[in-house]
């Protein structure tokens, strides 16, 4: 996570990459805990007008598609901000104070939430989750060659459950609103793009 100077003036051009439309004048932290930091910056736009920009800094996360038998292993839990239970692919960030590579995080989240270990882990891509309001991004992986085990869920995940669903049912859950997590839908889109690329390459050979 980048460090924000606590209200100190930024040197001219220090936070203005060549061609940037917005330059940071000052940067301050409004709120911070183990999981996130809320920044409020004073900025200057290309035309010289000034204003403020508030956004959330969070460490990047990993999303894992545990695929097996033309279906996927999903997890379901109560999501406090939206006040309901929803299904999604396993996902999350490193615990507070821990760091590592995206693949390590993907394997950790898969193990914690489902108990599965993957013999094969393929990177599908990287996406920004909410690039207008947060610096956070997600690393997306496909996990295959799954070996079952016991989940090692965090205390906050004590209500979590998991289930395998066929691909056709997974798509129905999206259209029915049982799956509303944008990272899960984005992960599936990346998987479809990968499958189409493989099909096209094989068709040419």
């Amino acid at each position: 996570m980048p460090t924000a100077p606590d209200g100190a003036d930024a040197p001219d051009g220090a936070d203005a990459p060549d061609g940037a439309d917005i330059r940071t004048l000052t940067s301050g932290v409004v709120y911070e805990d183990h999981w996130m930091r809320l920044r409020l910056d004073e900025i200057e736009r290309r035309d010289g007008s000034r204003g403020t920009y508030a956004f959330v800094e969070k460490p990047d996360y990993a999303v894992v598609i545990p695929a097996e038998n033309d279906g996927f292993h999903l997890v379901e839990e109560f999501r406090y901000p939206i006040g309901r239970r929803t299904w999604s692919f396993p996902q999350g960030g490193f615990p507070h104070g821990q760091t590592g590579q995206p693949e390590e995080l993907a394997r950790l989240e898969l193990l914690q939430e489902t108990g599965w270990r993957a013999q094969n882990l393929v990177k599908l891509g990287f996406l920004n989750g909410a690039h207008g309001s947060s610096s956070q991004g997600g690393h997306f992986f496909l996990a295959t060659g799954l070996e079952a085990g016991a989940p090692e869920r965090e205390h906050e995940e004590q209500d979590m459950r998991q289930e395998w669903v066929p691909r056709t049912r997974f798509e129905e859950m999206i259209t029915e609103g049982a799956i509303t997590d944008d990272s899960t839908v984005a992960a599936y889109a990346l998987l479809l793009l990968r499958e189409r690329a493989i099909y096209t390459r094989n068709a040419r050979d």
Side-chain angles (χ1 to χ4, degrees):
M1 178 184 297
T3 301
D6 201 358
D9 289 338
D12 288 345
D15 291 322
D18 291 343
D21 288 303
I22 299 177
R23 183 167 67 95
T24 305
L25 301 176
T26 65
S27 182
V29 177
V30 177
Y31 173 80
E32 183 175 10
D33 60 21
H34 288 336
W35 311 107
M36 60 169 283
R37 172 186 291 171
L38 176 60
R39 269 179 55 179
L40 179 62
D41 293 356
E42 294 183 9
I43 55 98
E44 183 179 81
R45 304 176 186 88
R46 181 181 291 274
D47 65 359
S49 61
R50 295 189 175 189
T52 58
Y53 206 122
F55 65 97
V56 173
E57 290 182 328
K58 294 187 70 174
D60 291 342
Y61 60 98
V63 182
V64 187
I65 303 178
E68 190 173 48
N69 299 325
D70 198 31
F72 310 114
H73 293 274
L74 303 177
V75 295
E76 188 246 29
E77 64 179 317
F78 181 79
R79 295 295 183 175
Y80 182 79
I82 62 174
R84 56 170 289 199
R85 300 184 69 87
T86 58
W87 291 90
S88 67
F89 288 132
Q91 59 188 275
F94 278 113
H96 178 66
Q98 295 186 26
T99 59
Q101 297 301 311
E103 181 173 326
E104 296 173 326
L105 177 57
R107 292 188 181 279
L108 175 64
E109 287 299 320
L110 181 64
L111 175 64
Q112 285 184 339
E113 296 190 4
T114 70
W116 293 101
R117 297 178 186 273
Q119 295 180 11
N120 308 304
L121 199 63
V122 176
K123 182 74 174 286
L124 297 175
F126 175 88
L127 297 172
N128 291 109
H131 59 193
S133 58
S134 176
S135 62
Q136 188 181 42
H139 301 269
F140 293 78
F141 292 87
L142 171 65
T144 57
L146 301 177
E147 300 175 352
E152 300 177 5
R153 294 171 182 149
E154 299 175 330
H155 181 72
E156 293 83 0
E157 299 168 337
Q158 58 187 287
D159 68 326
M160 181 179 287
R161 66 190 184 97
Q162 66 189 76
E163 184 176 319
W164 177 88
V165 299
R167 184 184 291 237
T168 53
R169 178 56 190 149
F170 173 82
E171 293 181 353
E172 291 172 352
M173 292 171 71
I174 295 175
T175 58
E176 293 170 0
I179 294 175
T180 62
D181 174 55
D182 56 358
S183 294
T184 294
V185 178
Y188 188 52
L190 290 173
L191 175 61
L192 292 177
L193 290 173
R194 180 177 185 272
E195 290 174 342
R196 186 172 69 180
I198 292 174
Y199 175 82
T200 301
R201 184 169 61 249
N202 291 340
R204 288 198 304 261
D205 294 343

